[in-house]
Amino acid sequence: MNLKWLWNGVFVVLIGVAIAGCSSSKQASRDPFAGQGSPIYPGKGPVPWGGGRYHVGKPYQVAGRWFEPREQPNYDKKGTASWYGEAFNRRRTSNGEWFDMNRLTAAHATLPLPSYVKVTNLENGREVIVRVNDRGPFVDTRVIDLSKATAVALDFKGKGTAKVRVQYIGRAPLDDNGRHLYAMNKELDRGTPLRMMIAKADRYRGKAPADAVMVAEARPAIRKPVVVAPPVAETVAFTPETPDVLPSAVEAEVSYFVQIGSFSDGDNASRVRDQFASVWPVQFIELSGASGPVYRVRLGPISHADDAETALSDARAAGFGDAKLIRNEALQAALQ
């Protein structure tokens, strides 16, 4: 036997194994999950906020499944959410940040890092804005993995999983010290449309308290049966709470409204208004009916046609099958 030939063959095999190992290591370092293989924060005290890098990454494989990270500006998906905590706490995330289970963060398999998403618990109506800074989940068909704090805010920590809706908002700043995320949740509380949140949070975060508590209370949507009143065509009497919906203002500033319905009970109408107020601007209009006051609820004003279509879809998905889209010109005629 030619020992030199045998040694050369073994050497080639060893080199091939080494190259494969390096390739696997590079793949793992490119899209690591904050798991057992990622570094633990070496310091004491709270881990730093933000930092890391903007990261999308190349396609990668986990447990036989391929994932393709990419920009997804229209991402809006419903599915199962899970949460992670102690086992991964203080470990490095996929974009180089440090995971803190007591902050409003999340892992997603393909969205850009870091970015903001709105997560709504479809089982109880609770909602919150979180910072996506990690990769995952890689179990079954789950759509997002949330921090322990987020699971508490959405009230499903004890159950382990929940049916959720995940809506992409946009890129999150690298240098956030927690105030921008705080400001995002304040805008959510105010009912700011998703497409406007980041710009408004940019202006507000300087006003956020230095010790802002990131486990923001997520307001549950009220979902009770409502009674829809018969259509009426009486003169509109605008309430003091909606001075900005006068016909002249409507003509000058807006393009679209989504008509939800008219209600004979003011409390029912108020519940419907509150149900949508965290997502869309809402008009609450009192009408003078033959049998007493009637209350009309509209989503709007909405400036962009695509946003208006989304609002219409949201209304119908919430059970208001008769909701309809109204153009500004039609609304103006209806008010005259």
Side-chain angles (χ1 to χ4, degrees):
M1 179 179 292
N2 189 327
L3 294 180
K4 182 177 180 180
W5 176 88
L6 177 61
W7 170 246
N8 287 341
V10 172
F11 182 75
V12 169
V13 171
L14 291 175
I15 289 295
V17 171
I19 292 174
C22 289
S23 175
S24 176
S25 176
K26 287 180 180 179
Q27 179 66 50
S29 65
R30 184 163 53 239
D31 286 289
F33 178 63
Q36 300 300 326
S38 58
I40 298 176
Y41 180 65
K44 296 182 179 180
V47 301
W49 275 95
R53 57 176 176 145
Y54 284 119
H55 179 61
V56 178
K58 298 180 179 180
Y60 63 99
Q61 187 178 33
V62 176
R65 293 178 57 198
W66 280 97
F67 300 89
E68 184 180 355
R70 62 191 184 279
E71 299 285 348
Q72 300 173 76
N74 299 316
Y75 185 92
D76 185 342
K77 190 171 184 179
K78 296 177 182 178
T80 301
S82 50
W83 67 272
Y84 63 121
E86 286 84 354
F88 310 101
N89 200 36
R90 303 175 70 82
R91 290 186 177 273
R92 191 183 297 277
T93 68
S94 295
N95 75 322
E97 298 182 26
W98 300 99
F99 173 62
D100 185 330
M101 65 182 182
N102 296 310
R103 295 172 183 168
L104 297 177
T105 62
H108 192 277
T110 60
L111 287 175
L113 307 177
S115 59
Y116 286 131
V117 297
K118 175 185 173 184
V119 184
T120 303
N121 186 339
L122 298 176
E123 298 169 8
N124 60 21
R126 286 180 174 266
E127 55 194 16
V128 72
I129 305 297
V130 301
R131 180 184 179 92
V132 180
N133 62 2
D134 208 356
R135 287 288 180 234
F138 306 121
V139 179
D140 300 325
T141 56
R142 295 178 188 176
V143 296
I144 198 166
D145 216 4
L146 303 169
S147 66
K148 176 182 176 182
T150 307
V152 170
L154 295 178
D155 195 26
F156 76 91
K157 176 178 173 291
K159 293 177 58 179
T161 61
K163 296 298 182 183
V164 301
R165 180 184 183 185
V166 180
Q167 296 167 273
Y168 180 76
I169 301 174
R171 292 290 187 98
L174 288 177
D175 61 348
D176 185 30
N177 60 1
R179 293 188 180 188
H180 199 274
L181 179 57
Y182 177 90
M184 290 290 290
N185 278 286
K186 292 296 288 186
E187 295 304 323
L188 175 65
D189 192 58
R190 291 188 177 98
T192 302
L194 297 188
R195 62 183 177 80
M196 300 171 59
M197 273 191 179
I198 292 178
K200 290 200 172 185
D202 287 343
R203 295 192 292 269
Y204 180 83
R205 68 169 162 176
K207 302 176 183 178
D211 58 348
V213 178
M214 289 302 103
V215 185
E217 181 180 356
R219 296 185 298 115
I222 301 174
R223 303 182 187 278
K224 295 183 179 180
V226 296
V227 179
V228 179
V232 295
E234 284 76 13
T235 304
V236 174
F238 290 95
T239 65
E241 291 78 15
T242 58
D244 58 332
V245 296
L246 294 175
S248 59
V250 169
E251 178 67 26
E253 298 179 5
V254 304
S255 298
Y256 303 95
F257 289 83
V258 174
Q259 179 103 336
I260 298 295
S262 299
F263 306 87
S264 58
D265 187 295
D267 290 337
N268 280 342
S270 296
R271 284 194 288 269
V272 175
R273 175 195 61 196
D274 294 342
Q275 180 175 343
F276 291 98
S278 63
V279 183
W280 302 102
V282 181
Q283 288 185 355
F284 184 87
I285 304 169
E286 182 178 345
L287 305 170
S288 298
S291 302
V294 177
Y295 305 90
R296 180 167 293 166
V297 180
R298 292 192 182 107
L299 307 185
I302 302 172
S303 300
H304 300 281
D306 54 346
D307 289 344
E309 291 290 346
T310 300
L312 179 63
S313 297
D314 286 352
R316 290 175 174 171
F320 300 95
D322 294 330
K324 59 183 178 180
L325 186 61
I326 303 176
R327 281 182 170 274
N328 186 46
E329 298 81 7
L331 178 62
Q332 179 68 15
L335 294 177
Q336 293 177 343

